[in-house]
Amino acid sequence: MVPTTVCSLISSGLLSPTKGTDSKLSDPAVAAERMGLPPVTPFFGLNGTAAAMMRGVNFGSTPATIVSGVLDGWLRGYDRFLFQSLSQQVRQVFEILQVLQLELGASAARRAASSALFILSFGKDDYAALFSRGSESNRLAPKYGRRGFARLLVSRLIQAIRDLYDADVRRVAVMGVAPLGCAPRIVWEGAYGLGGRDCVEEVNEIVAEYNAKLSARLLRLNSELAGAEIVFCDVYGGMMEIIANPRIYGFKNVRDACCGVGRFGGMIGCLAQEMACTEPNSYVWWDLYSTTESANSLLANWSWSPSSESRQQLCKPIALQELASISDSEAL
């Protein structure tokens, strides 16, 4: 039996075919399609009825962070209503569950929460702010330390999952952070010290440490929370496989942004579709930090159901397809 609902708490859609998102992994629309469910509605597009909520909800925004206020300097002049942090999105989940409880009763609300598949993809925007030149990095680095930042992010994410568990959520997939040291923006900022390499190794090492801490903590959390099924998807490993073997997967360019301005397309991000390259399918990177649809599709396939040919299994201990197929009785 597949979940009756797919929900997503994300910083930018991971499982969505749209260009400029992290990857297809965490977009609830694609997850819903693969599970034979109707399209998922954004939180702010709901009509307030339990029926609409039961079809699934996308709580995500672009950008969004684990740590509230990280992007304050970036968002000056923008409508902050559009950018929802992890804690804000978790509160929105609680709002949805309260409506379901009022309209359908406590028992039905519990079943809805436990049978839903929740997909969390956070961390990219936190690290993008940490690694960027300027006020945000100057503020964050001394406060947390580049490597100590991981402990803070992991603890906040784990607490969010615990809070969701207390609200009867049982099935959760958590996406790791991609190798941002290979992203056009980071490469552009560190170009003078690269020595011909395509990635900034120090940044990748820091992100890899975060992913390792998160994966290990999620493994322990799985054993601590009775009935929980928590999966970690190694986006970093999948991306490094593509970057190391681009021609095997049909790519020609692993360093430059398809849509951007300046060296590596990393100085100014994608402001209009007309800025895009003529062959986006041959690029790994779409803009400053986001991957192309072609790269996203590979990551989504490897996460949903790893093929015997590629031998790439990004999600552990089980793939998303198996997580989605767990019956309600197994999840409780």
PDB file of all heavy atoms in Angstrom, residues 1 41 174 230 238-239:
ATOM      1  N   MET A   1       0.851  -1.200   0.000  1.00  0.00           N
ATOM      2  CA  MET A   1       0.000   0.000   0.000  1.00  0.00           C
ATOM      3  C   MET A   1       0.882   1.244   0.000  1.00  0.00           C
ATOM      4  O   MET A   1       1.780   1.387   0.820  1.00  0.00           O
ATOM      5  CB  MET A   1      -0.888   0.006   1.241  1.00  0.00           C
ATOM      6  CG  MET A   1      -1.782   1.241   1.354  1.00  0.00           C
ATOM      7  SD  MET A   1      -2.806   1.142   2.835  1.00  0.00           S
ATOM      8  CE  MET A   1      -3.652   2.709   2.732  1.00  0.00           C
ATOM      9  N   THR A  41      -0.361  20.371  -3.987  1.00  0.00           N
ATOM     10  CA  THR A  41      -0.633  21.809  -3.943  1.00  0.00           C
ATOM     11  C   THR A  41       0.320  22.523  -2.993  1.00  0.00           C
ATOM     12  O   THR A  41       0.559  22.048  -1.887  1.00  0.00           O
ATOM     13  CB  THR A  41      -2.082  22.059  -3.472  1.00  0.00           C
ATOM     14  OG1 THR A  41      -2.976  21.346  -4.322  1.00  0.00           O
ATOM     15  CG2 THR A  41      -2.409  23.547  -3.500  1.00  0.00           C
ATOM     16  N   VAL A 174      15.191  12.374   3.927  1.00  0.00           N
ATOM     17  CA  VAL A 174      15.996  13.582   4.127  1.00  0.00           C
ATOM     18  C   VAL A 174      17.096  13.623   3.073  1.00  0.00           C
ATOM     19  O   VAL A 174      17.857  12.663   2.923  1.00  0.00           O
ATOM     20  CB  VAL A 174      16.627  13.616   5.533  1.00  0.00           C
ATOM     21  CG1 VAL A 174      17.415  14.898   5.737  1.00  0.00           C
ATOM     22  CG2 VAL A 174      15.550  13.468   6.607  1.00  0.00           C
ATOM     23  N   ILE A 230      13.046   6.364   8.457  1.00  0.00           N
ATOM     24  CA  ILE A 230      13.756   7.570   8.046  1.00  0.00           C
ATOM     25  C   ILE A 230      14.864   7.195   7.072  1.00  0.00           C
ATOM     26  O   ILE A 230      15.682   6.317   7.355  1.00  0.00           O
ATOM     27  CB  ILE A 230      14.358   8.306   9.257  1.00  0.00           C
ATOM     28  CG1 ILE A 230      13.257   8.626  10.285  1.00  0.00           C
ATOM     29  CG2 ILE A 230      15.063   9.586   8.824  1.00  0.00           C
ATOM     30  CD1 ILE A 230      13.779   9.129  11.608  1.00  0.00           C
ATOM     31  N   GLY A 238      25.879  11.173  -5.427  1.00  0.00           N
ATOM     32  CA  GLY A 238      25.343  11.093  -6.784  1.00  0.00           C
ATOM     33  C   GLY A 238      25.922  12.154  -7.691  1.00  0.00           C
ATOM     34  O   GLY A 238      26.291  11.888  -8.848  1.00  0.00           O
ATOM     35  N   MET A 239      26.030  13.378  -7.174  1.00  0.00           N
ATOM     36  CA  MET A 239      26.591  14.470  -7.967  1.00  0.00           C
ATOM     37  C   MET A 239      28.065  14.236  -8.280  1.00  0.00           C
ATOM     38  O   MET A 239      28.533  14.504  -9.404  1.00  0.00           O
ATOM     39  CB  MET A 239      26.416  15.793  -7.222  1.00  0.00           C
ATOM     40  CG  MET A 239      25.043  16.396  -7.346  1.00  0.00           C
ATOM     41  SD  MET A 239      24.715  16.964  -9.026  1.00  0.00           S
ATOM     42  CE  MET A 239      25.937  18.270  -9.192  1.00  0.00           C
TER      43      MET A 239
END
